[in-house]
mmCIF file with all atom_site columns, all heavy atoms in Angstrom:
data_model
loop_
_atom_site.group_PDB
_atom_site.id
_atom_site.type_symbol
_atom_site.label_atom_id
_atom_site.label_alt_id
_atom_site.label_comp_id
_atom_site.label_asym_id
_atom_site.label_entity_id
_atom_site.label_seq_id
_atom_site.pdbx_PDB_ins_code
_atom_site.Cartn_x
_atom_site.Cartn_y
_atom_site.Cartn_z
_atom_site.occupancy
_atom_site.B_iso_or_equiv
_atom_site.pdbx_formal_charge
_atom_site.auth_seq_id
_atom_site.auth_comp_id
_atom_site.auth_asym_id
_atom_site.auth_atom_id
_atom_site.pdbx_PDB_model_num
ATOM 1   N N   . CYS A 1 1  ? 0.805  -1.215  -0.035  1.00 59.00 ? 19 CYS A N   1
ATOM 2   C CA  . CYS A 1 1  ? 0.080  0.009   0.013   1.00 59.00 ? 19 CYS A CA  1
ATOM 3   C C   . CYS A 1 1  ? 0.932  1.248   0.058   1.00 59.00 ? 19 CYS A C   1
ATOM 4   O O   . CYS A 1 1  ? 1.268  1.643   1.039   1.00 59.00 ? 19 CYS A O   1
ATOM 5   C CB  . CYS A 1 1  ? -0.960 0.025   1.155   1.00 59.00 ? 19 CYS A CB  1
ATOM 6   S SG  . CYS A 1 1  ? -0.124 -0.271  2.868   1.00 59.00 ? 19 CYS A SG  1
ATOM 7   N N   . PRO A 1 2  ? 1.172  1.781   -1.145  1.00 54.00 ? 20 PRO A N   1
ATOM 8   C CA  . PRO A 1 2  ? 1.872  3.024   -1.139  1.00 54.00 ? 20 PRO A CA  1
ATOM 9   C C   . PRO A 1 2  ? 1.117  4.127   -0.366  1.00 54.00 ? 20 PRO A C   1
ATOM 10  O O   . PRO A 1 2  ? -0.145 4.327   -0.623  1.00 54.00 ? 20 PRO A O   1
ATOM 11  C CB  . PRO A 1 2  ? 1.916  3.404   -2.655  1.00 54.00 ? 20 PRO A CB  1
ATOM 12  C CG  . PRO A 1 2  ? 1.650  2.078   -3.424  1.00 54.00 ? 20 PRO A CG  1
ATOM 13  C CD  . PRO A 1 2  ? 0.742  1.324   -2.504  1.00 54.00 ? 20 PRO A CD  1
ATOM 14  N N   . ALA A 1 3  ? 1.824  4.705   0.557   1.00 58.00 ? 21 ALA A N   1
ATOM 15  C CA  . ALA A 1 3  ? 1.177  5.663   1.521   1.00 58.00 ? 21 ALA A CA  1
ATOM 16  C C   . ALA A 1 3  ? 1.135  7.096   1.127   1.00 58.00 ? 21 ALA A C   1
ATOM 17  O O   . ALA A 1 3  ? 0.278  7.783   1.427   1.00 58.00 ? 21 ALA A O   1
ATOM 18  C CB  . ALA A 1 3  ? 1.857  5.544   2.880   1.00 58.00 ? 21 ALA A CB  1
ATOM 19  N N   . GLU A 1 4  ? 2.115  7.470   0.375   1.00 59.00 ? 22 GLU A N   1
ATOM 20  C CA  . GLU A 1 4  ? 2.275  8.790   -0.057  1.00 59.00 ? 22 GLU A CA  1
ATOM 21  C C   . GLU A 1 4  ? 1.899  9.048   -1.540  1.00 59.00 ? 22 GLU A C   1
ATOM 22  O O   . GLU A 1 4  ? 1.920  8.047   -2.269  1.00 59.00 ? 22 GLU A O   1
ATOM 23  C CB  . GLU A 1 4  ? 3.786  9.352   0.158   1.00 59.00 ? 22 GLU A CB  1
ATOM 24  C CG  . GLU A 1 4  ? 4.199  9.146   1.612   1.00 59.00 ? 22 GLU A CG  1
ATOM 25  C CD  . GLU A 1 4  ? 3.475  10.047  2.587   1.00 59.00 ? 22 GLU A CD  1
ATOM 26  O OE1 . GLU A 1 4  ? 3.133  11.256  2.181   1.00 59.00 ? 22 GLU A OE1 1
ATOM 27  O OE2 . GLU A 1 4  ? 3.304  9.725   3.677   1.00 59.00 ? 22 GLU A OE2 1
ATOM 28  N N   . LEU A 1 5  ? 1.640  10.284  -1.831  1.00 56.00 ? 23 LEU A N   1
ATOM 29  C CA  . LEU A 1 5  ? 1.193  10.642  -3.207  1.00 56.00 ? 23 LEU A CA  1
ATOM 30  C C   . LEU A 1 5  ? 2.185  10.088  -4.261  1.00 56.00 ? 23 LEU A C   1
ATOM 31  O O   . LEU A 1 5  ? 1.747  9.613   -5.267  1.00 56.00 ? 23 LEU A O   1
ATOM 32  C CB  . LEU A 1 5  ? 1.002  12.138  -3.395  1.00 56.00 ? 23 LEU A CB  1
ATOM 33  C CG  . LEU A 1 5  ? 0.527  12.665  -4.616  1.00 56.00 ? 23 LEU A CG  1
ATOM 34  C CD1 . LEU A 1 5  ? -0.815 12.142  -5.107  1.00 56.00 ? 23 LEU A CD1 1
ATOM 35  C CD2 . LEU A 1 5  ? 0.504  14.168  -4.657  1.00 56.00 ? 23 LEU A CD2 1
ATOM 36  N N   . TYR A 1 6  ? 3.468  10.222  -3.980  1.00 60.00 ? 24 TYR A N   1
ATOM 37  C CA  . TYR A 1 6  ? 4.445  9.890   -5.017  1.00 60.00 ? 24 TYR A CA  1
ATOM 38  C C   . TYR A 1 6  ? 5.184  8.531   -4.780  1.00 60.00 ? 24 TYR A C   1
ATOM 39  O O   . TYR A 1 6  ? 6.119  8.265   -5.391  1.00 60.00 ? 24 TYR A O   1
ATOM 40  C CB  . TYR A 1 6  ? 5.509  11.013  -5.198  1.00 60.00 ? 24 TYR A CB  1
ATOM 41  C CG  . TYR A 1 6  ? 4.885  12.261  -5.627  1.00 60.00 ? 24 TYR A CG  1
ATOM 42  C CD1 . TYR A 1 6  ? 4.563  13.322  -4.729  1.00 60.00 ? 24 TYR A CD1 1
ATOM 43  C CD2 . TYR A 1 6  ? 4.430  12.426  -6.928  1.00 60.00 ? 24 TYR A CD2 1
ATOM 44  C CE1 . TYR A 1 6  ? 3.990  14.436  -5.075  1.00 60.00 ? 24 TYR A CE1 1
ATOM 45  C CE2 . TYR A 1 6  ? 3.795  13.602  -7.376  1.00 60.00 ? 24 TYR A CE2 1
ATOM 46  C CZ  . TYR A 1 6  ? 3.618  14.634  -6.419  1.00 60.00 ? 24 TYR A CZ  1
ATOM 47  O OH  . TYR A 1 6  ? 2.991  15.791  -6.831  1.00 60.00 ? 24 TYR A OH  1
ATOM 48  N N   . ASP A 1 7  ? 4.560  7.659   -3.911  1.00 63.00 ? 25 ASP A N   1
ATOM 49  C CA  . ASP A 1 7  ? 5.135  6.431   -3.644  1.00 63.00 ? 25 ASP A CA  1
ATOM 50  C C   . ASP A 1 7  ? 5.139  5.495   -4.942  1.00 63.00 ? 25 ASP A C   1
ATOM 51  O O   . ASP A 1 7  ? 5.951  4.637   -5.047  1.00 63.00 ? 25 ASP A O   1
ATOM 52  C CB  . ASP A 1 7  ? 4.524  5.692   -2.486  1.00 63.00 ? 25 ASP A CB  1
ATOM 53  C CG  . ASP A 1 7  ? 5.042  6.095   -1.185  1.00 63.00 ? 25 ASP A CG  1
ATOM 54  O OD1 . ASP A 1 7  ? 5.948  6.957   -1.159  1.00 63.00 ? 25 ASP A OD1 1
ATOM 55  O OD2 . ASP A 1 7  ? 4.473  5.617   -0.171  1.00 63.00 ? 25 ASP A OD2 1
ATOM 56  N N   . TYR A 1 8  ? 4.272  5.730   -5.849  1.00 67.00 ? 26 TYR A N   1
ATOM 57  C CA  . TYR A 1 8  ? 4.265  4.904   -7.017  1.00 67.00 ? 26 TYR A CA  1
ATOM 58  C C   . TYR A 1 8  ? 5.503  4.946   -7.795  1.00 67.00 ? 26 TYR A C   1
ATOM 59  O O   . TYR A 1 8  ? 5.958  3.950   -8.534  1.00 67.00 ? 26 TYR A O   1
ATOM 60  C CB  . TYR A 1 8  ? 3.145  5.316   -8.012  1.00 67.00 ? 26 TYR A CB  1
ATOM 61  C CG  . TYR A 1 8  ? 3.368  6.621   -8.635  1.00 67.00 ? 26 TYR A CG  1
ATOM 62  C CD1 . TYR A 1 8  ? 4.020  6.743   -9.949  1.00 67.00 ? 26 TYR A CD1 1
ATOM 63  C CD2 . TYR A 1 8  ? 2.976  7.908   -8.088  1.00 67.00 ? 26 TYR A CD2 1
ATOM 64  C CE1 . TYR A 1 8  ? 4.252  7.922   -10.597 1.00 67.00 ? 26 TYR A CE1 1
ATOM 65  C CE2 . TYR A 1 8  ? 3.217  9.068   -8.700  1.00 67.00 ? 26 TYR A CE2 1
ATOM 66  C CZ  . TYR A 1 8  ? 3.814  9.113   -9.971  1.00 67.00 ? 26 TYR A CZ  1
ATOM 67  O OH  . TYR A 1 8  ? 4.027  10.300  -10.510 1.00 67.00 ? 26 TYR A OH  1
ATOM 68  N N   . GLN A 1 9  ? 6.363  6.063   -7.635  1.00 70.00 ? 27 GLN A N   1
ATOM 69  C CA  . GLN A 1 9  ? 7.537  6.205   -8.224  1.00 70.00 ? 27 GLN A CA  1
ATOM 70  C C   . GLN A 1 9  ? 8.636  5.259   -7.684  1.00 70.00 ? 27 GLN A C   1
ATOM 71  O O   . GLN A 1 9  ? 9.453  4.673   -8.403  1.00 70.00 ? 27 GLN A O   1
ATOM 72  C CB  . GLN A 1 9  ? 8.162  7.588   -8.091  1.00 70.00 ? 27 GLN A CB  1
ATOM 73  C CG  . GLN A 1 9  ? 7.291  8.639   -8.851  1.00 70.00 ? 27 GLN A CG  1
ATOM 74  C CD  . GLN A 1 9  ? 7.682  10.046  -8.559  1.00 70.00 ? 27 GLN A CD  1
ATOM 75  O OE1 . GLN A 1 9  ? 8.349  10.411  -7.604  1.00 70.00 ? 27 GLN A OE1 1
ATOM 76  N NE2 . GLN A 1 9  ? 7.337  10.976  -9.550  1.00 70.00 ? 27 GLN A NE2 1
ATOM 77  N N   . TYR A 1 10 ? 8.550  4.872   -6.420  1.00 66.00 ? 28 TYR A N   1
ATOM 78  C CA  . TYR A 1 10 ? 9.396  3.891   -5.827  1.00 66.00 ? 28 TYR A CA  1
ATOM 79  C C   . TYR A 1 10 ? 8.950  2.558   -6.430  1.00 66.00 ? 28 TYR A C   1
ATOM 80  O O   . TYR A 1 10 ? 9.869  1.674   -6.662  1.00 66.00 ? 28 TYR A O   1
ATOM 81  C CB  . TYR A 1 10 ? 9.276  3.931   -4.359  1.00 66.00 ? 28 TYR A CB  1
ATOM 82  C CG  . TYR A 1 10 ? 9.909  5.204   -3.716  1.00 66.00 ? 28 TYR A CG  1
ATOM 83  C CD1 . TYR A 1 10 ? 9.216  6.247   -3.421  1.00 66.00 ? 28 TYR A CD1 1
ATOM 84  C CD2 . TYR A 1 10 ? 11.199 5.076   -3.351  1.00 66.00 ? 28 TYR A CD2 1
ATOM 85  C CE1 . TYR A 1 10 ? 9.817  7.401   -2.835  1.00 66.00 ? 28 TYR A CE1 1
ATOM 86  C CE2 . TYR A 1 10 ? 11.947 6.143   -2.770  1.00 66.00 ? 28 TYR A CE2 1
ATOM 87  C CZ  . TYR A 1 10 ? 11.213 7.379   -2.561  1.00 66.00 ? 28 TYR A CZ  1
ATOM 88  O OH  . TYR A 1 10 ? 11.818 8.345   -1.976  1.00 66.00 ? 28 TYR A OH  1
ATOM 89  N N   . LEU A 1 11 ? 7.737  2.233   -6.535  1.00 69.00 ? 29 LEU A N   1
ATOM 90  C CA  . LEU A 1 11 ? 7.309  0.892   -7.068  1.00 69.00 ? 29 LEU A CA  1
ATOM 91  C C   . LEU A 1 11 ? 7.876  0.817   -8.531  1.00 69.00 ? 29 LEU A C   1
ATOM 92  O O   . LEU A 1 11 ? 8.085  -0.330  -8.930  1.00 69.00 ? 29 LEU A O   1
ATOM 93  C CB  . LEU A 1 11 ? 5.737  0.776   -6.950  1.00 69.00 ? 29 LEU A CB  1
ATOM 94  C CG  . LEU A 1 11 ? 5.187  0.692   -5.628  1.00 69.00 ? 29 LEU A CG  1
ATOM 95  C CD1 . LEU A 1 11 ? 3.699  0.614   -5.650  1.00 69.00 ? 29 LEU A CD1 1
ATOM 96  C CD2 . LEU A 1 11 ? 5.706  -0.542  -4.896  1.00 69.00 ? 29 LEU A CD2 1
ATOM 97  N N   . ALA A 1 12 ? 7.928  1.806   -9.182  1.00 76.00 ? 30 ALA A N   1
ATOM 98  C CA  . ALA A 1 12 ? 8.392  1.786   -10.638 1.00 76.00 ? 30 ALA A CA  1
ATOM 99  C C   . ALA A 1 12 ? 9.762  1.242   -10.627 1.00 76.00 ? 30 ALA A C   1
ATOM 100 O O   . ALA A 1 12 ? 10.329 0.761   -11.642 1.00 76.00 ? 30 ALA A O   1
ATOM 101 C CB  . ALA A 1 12 ? 8.332  3.191   -11.163 1.00 76.00 ? 30 ALA A CB  1
ATOM 102 N N   . ALA A 1 13 ? 10.602 1.535   -9.570  1.00 79.00 ? 31 ALA A N   1
ATOM 103 C CA  . ALA A 1 13 ? 11.946 0.932   -9.480  1.00 79.00 ? 31 ALA A CA  1
ATOM 104 C C   . ALA A 1 13 ? 12.038 -0.571  -9.680  1.00 79.00 ? 31 ALA A C   1
ATOM 105 O O   . ALA A 1 13 ? 12.962 -1.036  -10.385 1.00 79.00 ? 31 ALA A O   1
ATOM 106 C CB  . ALA A 1 13 ? 12.652 1.272   -8.192  1.00 79.00 ? 31 ALA A CB  1
ATOM 107 N N   . ALA A 1 14 ? 11.050 -1.273  -9.262  1.00 80.00 ? 32 ALA A N   1
ATOM 108 C CA  . ALA A 1 14 ? 10.910 -2.745  -9.418  1.00 80.00 ? 32 ALA A CA  1
ATOM 109 C C   . ALA A 1 14 ? 10.895 -3.097  -10.905 1.00 80.00 ? 32 ALA A C   1
ATOM 110 O O   . ALA A 1 14 ? 11.184 -4.189  -11.287 1.00 80.00 ? 32 ALA A O   1
ATOM 111 C CB  . ALA A 1 14 ? 9.736  -3.261  -8.627  1.00 80.00 ? 32 ALA A CB  1
ATOM 112 N N   . ALA A 1 15 ? 10.452 -2.132  -11.735 1.00 82.00 ? 33 ALA A N   1
ATOM 113 C CA  . ALA A 1 15 ? 10.322 -2.550  -13.262 1.00 82.00 ? 33 ALA A CA  1
ATOM 114 C C   . ALA A 1 15 ? 11.662 -2.786  -13.886 1.00 82.00 ? 33 ALA A C   1
ATOM 115 O O   . ALA A 1 15 ? 11.796 -3.327  -14.866 1.00 82.00 ? 33 ALA A O   1
ATOM 116 C CB  . ALA A 1 15 ? 9.499  -1.517  -13.845 1.00 82.00 ? 33 ALA A CB  1
ATOM 117 N N   . HIS A 1 16 ? 12.740 -2.225  -13.067 1.00 86.00 ? 34 HIS A N   1
ATOM 118 C CA  . HIS A 1 16 ? 14.097 -2.377  -13.646 1.00 86.00 ? 34 HIS A CA  1
ATOM 119 C C   . HIS A 1 16 ? 14.757 -3.669  -13.121 1.00 86.00 ? 34 HIS A C   1
ATOM 120 O O   . HIS A 1 16 ? 15.957 -3.875  -13.412 1.00 86.00 ? 34 HIS A O   1
ATOM 121 C CB  . HIS A 1 16 ? 14.933 -1.192  -13.227 1.00 86.00 ? 34 HIS A CB  1
ATOM 122 C CG  . HIS A 1 16 ? 14.376 0.047   -13.853 1.00 86.00 ? 34 HIS A CG  1
ATOM 123 N ND1 . HIS A 1 16 ? 14.651 0.429   -15.218 1.00 86.00 ? 34 HIS A ND1 1
ATOM 124 C CD2 . HIS A 1 16 ? 13.605 1.097   -13.285 1.00 86.00 ? 34 HIS A CD2 1
ATOM 125 C CE1 . HIS A 1 16 ? 14.041 1.571   -15.452 1.00 86.00 ? 34 HIS A CE1 1
ATOM 126 N NE2 . HIS A 1 16 ? 13.440 1.953   -14.372 1.00 86.00 ? 34 HIS A NE2 1
ATOM 127 N N   . ILE A 1 17 ? 14.032 -4.413  -12.429 1.00 92.00 ? 35 ILE A N   1
ATOM 128 C CA  . ILE A 1 17 ? 14.509 -5.769  -11.959 1.00 92.00 ? 35 ILE A CA  1
ATOM 129 C C   . ILE A 1 17 ? 14.222 -6.754  -13.057 1.00 92.00 ? 35 ILE A C   1
ATOM 130 O O   . ILE A 1 17 ? 13.157 -7.286  -13.164 1.00 92.00 ? 35 ILE A O   1
ATOM 131 C CB  . ILE A 1 17 ? 13.901 -6.161  -10.686 1.00 92.00 ? 35 ILE A CB  1
ATOM 132 C CG1 . ILE A 1 17 ? 14.245 -5.184  -9.567  1.00 92.00 ? 35 ILE A CG1 1
ATOM 133 C CG2 . ILE A 1 17 ? 14.420 -7.528  -10.272 1.00 92.00 ? 35 ILE A CG2 1
ATOM 134 C CD1 . ILE A 1 17 ? 13.431 -5.444  -8.193  1.00 92.00 ? 35 ILE A CD1 1
ATOM 135 N N   . ASN A 1 18 ? 15.315 -7.054  -13.822 1.00 93.00 ? 36 ASN A N   1
ATOM 136 C CA  . ASN A 1 18 ? 15.153 -8.035  -14.930 1.00 93.00 ? 36 ASN A CA  1
ATOM 137 C C   . ASN A 1 18 ? 16.542 -8.684  -15.187 1.00 93.00 ? 36 ASN A C   1
ATOM 138 O O   . ASN A 1 18 ? 17.530 -8.152  -14.746 1.00 93.00 ? 36 ASN A O   1
ATOM 139 C CB  . ASN A 1 18 ? 14.512 -7.364  -16.178 1.00 93.00 ? 36 ASN A CB  1
ATOM 140 C CG  . ASN A 1 18 ? 15.449 -6.270  -16.786 1.00 93.00 ? 36 ASN A CG  1
ATOM 141 O OD1 . ASN A 1 18 ? 16.540 -6.635  -17.254 1.00 93.00 ? 36 ASN A OD1 1
ATOM 142 N ND2 . ASN A 1 18 ? 14.904 -5.015  -16.746 1.00 93.00 ? 36 ASN A ND2 1
ATOM 143 N N   . PRO A 1 19 ? 16.462 -9.819  -15.913 1.00 95.00 ? 37 PRO A N   1
ATOM 144 C CA  . PRO A 1 19 ? 17.767 -10.500 -16.255 1.00 95.00 ? 37 PRO A CA  1
ATOM 145 C C   . PRO A 1 19 ? 18.829 -9.624  -16.969 1.00 95.00 ? 37 PRO A C   1
ATOM 146 O O   . PRO A 1 19 ? 19.966 -10.055 -16.994 1.00 95.00 ? 37 PRO A O   1
ATOM 147 C CB  . PRO A 1 19 ? 17.342 -11.718 -17.034 1.00 95.00 ? 37 PRO A CB  1
ATOM 148 C CG  . PRO A 1 19 ? 15.884 -11.871 -16.803 1.00 95.00 ? 37 PRO A CG  1
ATOM 149 C CD  . PRO A 1 19 ? 15.357 -10.483 -16.457 1.00 95.00 ? 37 PRO A CD  1
ATOM 150 N N   . ASN A 1 20 ? 18.448 -8.648  -17.614 1.00 93.00 ? 38 ASN A N   1
ATOM 151 C CA  . ASN A 1 20 ? 19.345 -7.783  -18.300 1.00 93.00 ? 38 ASN A CA  1
ATOM 152 C C   . ASN A 1 20 ? 20.146 -6.945  -17.354 1.00 93.00 ? 38 ASN A C   1
ATOM 153 O O   . ASN A 1 20 ? 21.279 -6.449  -17.690 1.00 93.00 ? 38 ASN A O   1
ATOM 154 C CB  . ASN A 1 20 ? 18.705 -6.898  -19.280 1.00 93.00 ? 38 ASN A CB  1
ATOM 155 C CG  . ASN A 1 20 ? 17.943 -7.645  -20.369 1.00 93.00 ? 38 ASN A CG  1
ATOM 156 O OD1 . ASN A 1 20 ? 18.579 -8.640  -20.900 1.00 93.00 ? 38 ASN A OD1 1
ATOM 157 N ND2 . ASN A 1 20 ? 16.851 -7.254  -20.840 1.00 93.00 ? 38 ASN A ND2 1
ATOM 158 N N   . ASN A 1 21 ? 19.584 -6.653  -16.180 1.00 93.00 ? 39 ASN A N   1
ATOM 159 C CA  . ASN A 1 21 ? 20.247 -5.805  -15.173 1.00 93.00 ? 39 ASN A CA  1
ATOM 160 C C   . ASN A 1 21 ? 20.971 -6.472  -14.040 1.00 93.00 ? 39 ASN A C   1
ATOM 161 O O   . ASN A 1 21 ? 21.887 -6.073  -13.466 1.00 93.00 ? 39 ASN A O   1
ATOM 162 C CB  . ASN A 1 21 ? 19.234 -4.863  -14.655 1.00 93.00 ? 39 ASN A CB  1
ATOM 163 C CG  . ASN A 1 21 ? 18.722 -3.874  -15.680 1.00 93.00 ? 39 ASN A CG  1
ATOM 164 O OD1 . ASN A 1 21 ? 19.483 -3.517  -16.636 1.00 93.00 ? 39 ASN A OD1 1
ATOM 165 N ND2 . ASN A 1 21 ? 17.501 -3.420  -15.577 1.00 93.00 ? 39 ASN A ND2 1
ATOM 166 N N   . ILE A 1 22 ? 20.359 -7.618  -13.578 1.00 96.00 ? 40 ILE A N   1
ATOM 167 C CA  . ILE A 1 22 ? 20.916 -8.317  -12.398 1.00 96.00 ? 40 ILE A CA  1
ATOM 168 C C   . ILE A 1 22 ? 20.944 -9.810  -12.686 1.00 96.00 ? 40 ILE A C   1
ATOM 169 O O   . ILE A 1 22 ? 20.200 -10.365 -13.395 1.00 96.00 ? 40 ILE A O   1
ATOM 170 C CB  . ILE A 1 22 ? 20.164 -8.011  -11.112 1.00 96.00 ? 40 ILE A CB  1
ATOM 171 C CG1 . ILE A 1 22 ? 18.628 -8.562  -11.201 1.00 96.00 ? 40 ILE A CG1 1
ATOM 172 C CG2 . ILE A 1 22 ? 20.209 -6.507  -10.795 1.00 96.00 ? 40 ILE A CG2 1
ATOM 173 C CD1 . ILE A 1 22 ? 17.951 -8.402  -9.899  1.00 96.00 ? 40 ILE A CD1 1
ATOM 174 N N   . ASP A 1 23 ? 21.820 -10.507 -11.896 1.00 97.00 ? 41 ASP A N   1
ATOM 175 C CA  . ASP A 1 23 ? 21.995 -11.941 -11.942 1.00 97.00 ? 41 ASP A CA  1
ATOM 176 C C   . ASP A 1 23 ? 21.332 -12.653 -10.828 1.00 97.00 ? 41 ASP A C   1
ATOM 177 O O   . ASP A 1 23 ? 21.076 -13.897 -10.900 1.00 97.00 ? 41 ASP A O   1
ATOM 178 C CB  . ASP A 1 23 ? 23.511 -12.268 -12.052 1.00 97.00 ? 41 ASP A CB  1
ATOM 179 C CG  . ASP A 1 23 ? 24.137 -11.685 -13.230 1.00 97.00 ? 41 ASP A CG  1
ATOM 180 O OD1 . ASP A 1 23 ? 23.906 -12.143 -14.350 1.00 97.00 ? 41 ASP A OD1 1
ATOM 181 O OD2 . ASP A 1 23 ? 24.982 -10.694 -12.976 1.00 97.00 ? 41 ASP A OD2 1
ATOM 182 N N   . GLY A 1 24 ? 21.026 -12.014 -9.867  1.00 97.00 ? 42 GLY A N   1
ATOM 183 C CA  . GLY A 1 24 ? 20.336 -12.541 -8.686  1.00 97.00 ? 42 GLY A CA  1
ATOM 184 C C   . GLY A 1 24 ? 19.760 -11.406 -7.810  1.00 97.00 ? 42 GLY A C   1
ATOM 185 O O   . GLY A 1 24 ? 20.108 -10.230 -7.878  1.00 97.00 ? 42 GLY A O   1
ATOM 186 N N   . LEU A 1 25 ? 18.760 -11.750 -7.041  1.00 97.00 ? 43 LEU A N   1
ATOM 187 C CA  . LEU A 1 25 ? 18.036 -10.759 -6.178  1.00 97.00 ? 43 LEU A CA  1
ATOM 188 C C   . LEU A 1 25 ? 17.934 -11.169 -4.785  1.00 97.00 ? 43 LEU A C   1
ATOM 189 O O   . LEU A 1 25 ? 17.497 -12.273 -4.551  1.00 97.00 ? 43 LEU A O   1
ATOM 190 C CB  . LEU A 1 25 ? 16.623 -10.486 -6.796  1.00 97.00 ? 43 LEU A CB  1
ATOM 191 C CG  . LEU A 1 25 ? 15.797 -9.442  -6.101  1.00 97.00 ? 43 LEU A CG  1
ATOM 192 C CD1 . LEU A 1 25 ? 16.352 -8.054  -6.188  1.00 97.00 ? 43 LEU A CD1 1
ATOM 193 C CD2 . LEU A 1 25 ? 14.377 -9.372  -6.753  1.00 97.00 ? 43 LEU A CD2 1
#
């Protein structure tokens, strides 16, 4: 539950989690 008005921007960071960027999480 994003609490603040602009918290959706933090959730957008997860869109960059992919095999092209990282090898493990």
Side-chain angles (χ1 to χ4, degrees):
C19 54
E22 302 294 326
L23 179 60
Y24 298 105
D25 276 359
Y26 72 90
Q27 295 172 339
Y28 287 93
L29 292 175
H34 297 282
I35 300 172
N36 64 63
N38 296 320
N39 296 328
I40 63 172
D41 299 292
L43 179 67

